[in-house]
Amino acid sequence: MILADKITEERKRNGWSQEELAEKLGVSRQAVSKWESAGSVPDLQRVIQLADLFGVSTDYLLKDDMELNGTDVYTLNGAEEVKSIRRVSMEEANEFLEMKKKGAPIIANATFMCIISPALLVLLGGMAENQILHITEALAVGLGLVFLFGMIAAAVFMFITCGIKQSHMEHLEKEIFETEYGVSGMVKERSRSYEPVFTRGLAVGVVLCIIAVVPLFIVGVMDAPDYICCAFTSLLLLFIATGVNMIIRVSTVKGSYDTLLQEGEFSKKEKKVKGKLDAFSGVYWCLATAIYLGWSFWTMRWDITWIIWPVAGVLFAAVSGIMRLIIGAEE
């Protein structure tokens, strides 16, 4: 193929019109039309821009005898790499989006259950200490632990089953791929339509997580008895669990669009970095869970040990950011 044909093919593969490609390059639609009809040839700077936009090498665009044929030559951080590229069809894209849409509430609910699991133990513990409803400490601990482990076991079951069902498409989140004609356009349209829902859900979820601490401020001002403090701590967990539930629901769906468009955290560059961070993430959260459970059972202060999770989350973001900088420097 000649350059004109390759520009046309790559533009259609990304689901862009001539106007959209022209806008991305900062040129007129007529200029793109002339390139595709072989009426003119883009200058070297435009060729470099085209290669970057299409995710291919300049050699591929300029050499008439160079074809993709199931492999792709693309540039990443200035270096050329050759790798077998998957082709995502319209049917596969729709299946992936529907799978993520159905899986979002399952993952969100399972996370909700994990966060809320200590709530009953905290509440009954406070009631037992103050002889409310004549609940003994042994009964409070027993019922609370049954509820805690029951919720965690159910949540783990949901995580595992959902993960298995989605495993056949996990390559879309980890590997670089190309989409067939029309796929990118369809995904962009659906992403734009979902944007208001995502923004609203994310905002409400974040607000719920922020106001979750209000009950603790109230009992602090009131100098309330222990059982009231425990009740409000359980309420705090409920607020946080609900907020996180909403954030996960909308973020999972929005993430499915970003995955197919290879944008944000699913861009080609981010996938390479993420692959090196996966092992660290697994070890980090396993260690955080072990510390949480060990401290909780050692002290039996479930009303305090939950603080590990927000602290772990903040530290994870900080450490991940540092590691990204290190990996980026190495690349």
Side-chain angles (χ1 to χ4, degrees), residues 228-260:
I228 296 295
C229 293
C230 290
F232 275 54
T233 299
S234 298
L235 187 60
L236 175 145
L237 292 174
L238 178 61
F239 270 102
I240 293 177
T242 303
V244 172
N245 184 297
M246 296 189 68
I247 292 172
I248 291 176
R249 283 174 182 263
V250 296
S251 297
T252 300
V253 176
K254 180 64 167 60
S256 67
Y257 299 131
D258 290 343
T259 299
L260 291 176

Side-chain angles (χ1 to χ4, degrees), residues 69-328:
N69 294 330
T71 63
D72 196 8
V73 183
Y74 60 91
T75 58
L76 188 61
N77 296 329
E80 292 188 356
E81 298 186 13
V82 180
K83 185 178 181 179
S84 178
I85 296 294
R86 291 178 180 267
R87 300 290 181 184
V88 179
S89 65
M90 184 69 74
E91 293 75 13
E92 188 177 4
N94 281 315
E95 181 186 355
F96 177 77
L97 293 176
E98 187 63 23
M99 178 191 73
K100 285 295 184 179
K101 183 179 179 181
K102 291 181 178 179
I106 298 175
I107 298 300
N109 291 337
T111 305
F112 174 93
M113 293 164 65
C114 288
I115 296 174
I116 204 69
S117 60
L120 185 61
L121 181 62
V122 172
L123 179 61
L124 293 179
M127 295 173 66
E129 287 184 6
N130 291 269
Q131 297 298 309
I132 305 298
L133 300 179
H134 304 292
I135 297 177
T136 65
E137 185 173 347
L139 179 61
V141 172
L143 291 176
L145 288 178
V146 169
F147 180 79
L148 184 148
F149 286 114
M151 293 288 277
I152 292 178
V156 170
F157 176 81
M158 294 165 68
F159 282 132
I160 293 175
T161 54
C162 186
I164 292 174
K165 289 180 181 179
Q166 297 184 0
S167 61
H168 68 290
M169 284 194 167
E170 63 181 7
H171 62 274
L172 295 179
E173 298 176 342
K174 298 179 179 179
E175 300 176 8
I176 296 172
F177 58 84
E178 297 291 344
T179 54
E180 293 183 356
Y181 173 67
V183 173
S184 293
M186 177 274 293
V187 176
K188 287 180 180 178
E189 182 62 31
R190 293 179 64 171
S191 180
R192 282 193 293 265
S193 299
Y194 189 75
E195 193 67 35
V197 179
F198 170 72
T199 302
R200 184 168 57 252
L202 183 64
V204 173
V206 171
V207 168
L208 284 174
C209 290
I210 293 174
I211 66 174
V213 298
V214 172
L216 293 185
F217 288 145
I218 294 175
V219 297
V221 172
M222 294 171 52
D223 194 21
D226 289 346
Y227 73 93
I228 296 295
C229 293
C230 290
F232 275 54
T233 299
S234 298
L235 187 60
L236 175 145
L237 292 174
L238 178 61
F239 270 102
I240 293 177
T242 303
V244 172
N245 184 297
M246 296 189 68
I247 292 172
I248 291 176
R249 283 174 182 263
V250 296
S251 297
T252 300
V253 176
K254 180 64 167 60
S256 67
Y257 299 131
D258 290 343
T259 299
L260 291 176
L261 295 173
Q262 297 190 99
E263 296 178 347
E265 64 176 305
F266 298 102
S267 65
K268 294 177 181 179
K269 180 179 178 180
E270 284 296 313
K271 285 180 179 179
K272 192 169 185 179
V273 174
K274 188 178 179 181
K276 296 183 178 181
L277 286 176
D278 283 345
F280 163 74
S281 300
V283 173
Y284 181 92
W285 288 112
C286 285
L287 182 60
T289 303
I291 293 174
Y292 169 68
L293 293 176
W295 184 23
S296 299
F297 282 111
W298 180 265
T299 63
M300 294 307 293
R301 294 302 305 270
W302 298 85
D303 58 325
I304 297 176
T305 55
W306 62 269
I307 196 67
I308 285 179
W309 296 114
V311 172
V314 172
L315 287 177
F316 179 76
V319 176
S320 294
I322 293 173
M323 292 190 65
R324 283 179 177 276
L325 291 176
I326 295 173
I327 294 173

